[in-house]
Amino acid sequence: MAETHAAAFAEARPWSEAEFAALLAQPHCHAIGDARSFALIRVIADEAELLTIATRPDARRQGLARARMEAWQARARATGADRAFLEVAADNVAALALYKTCGFAVEGRRKGYYPRAGSAAVDAIVMARALT
């Protein structure tokens, strides 16, 4: 997962193997996917959160991210969630488009949340949708 994340997020600090291991050790975290593309979610009570989703650059434009979006939302529903949340960098146009087509709507903004090397930090867009 750390390798895929690093390849997918070359402009940001990727998550380490230790960070993934710590998250996956938590009882409410679930990983969906494979080495080409994965989603990592947390489901607590009736809420699900997409922690990260990543697709290797050489596997993009094959529908993998959309498949992971559908799969993690199905897993969240199956474990009792009726609402889903995620956040995305405001400059990640492709992800914003994907999330909107998956039914997510903007709920808020975190100013200057994502640092960028050599430029100003980018806002985080908080998005949500009902899973019922």
Side-chain angles (χ1 to χ4, degrees), residues 1 3-4 33-38 54 56 68:
M1 292 176 90
E3 279 184 30
T4 299
D34 57 33
R36 297 173 304 148
S37 178
F38 71 88
R56 295 185 67 80
R68 299 306 175 244

Side-chain angles (χ1 to χ4, degrees), residues 49-63:
E49 177 186 11
L50 176 65
L51 300 174
T52 192
I53 186 169
T55 301
R56 295 185 67 80
D58 61 350
R60 291 183 181 153
R61 312 288 306 159
Q62 298 175 25

Side-chain angles (χ1 to χ4, degrees), residues 107-128:
E107 296 250 326
R109 181 180 287 261
R110 293 185 177 117
K111 296 281 186 189
Y113 188 78
Y114 291 105
R116 294 289 189 254
S119 63
V122 175
D123 294 352
I125 305 297
V126 179
M127 303 179 84

Side-chain angles (χ1 to χ4, degrees), residues 6 15 24-25 29 31 33 37 42 52 74 87-88 103 115 118 126 128 130:
W15 296 4
L24 291 167
C29 284
S37 178
R42 178 175 25 226
T52 192
E87 69 179 40
V88 58
V126 179

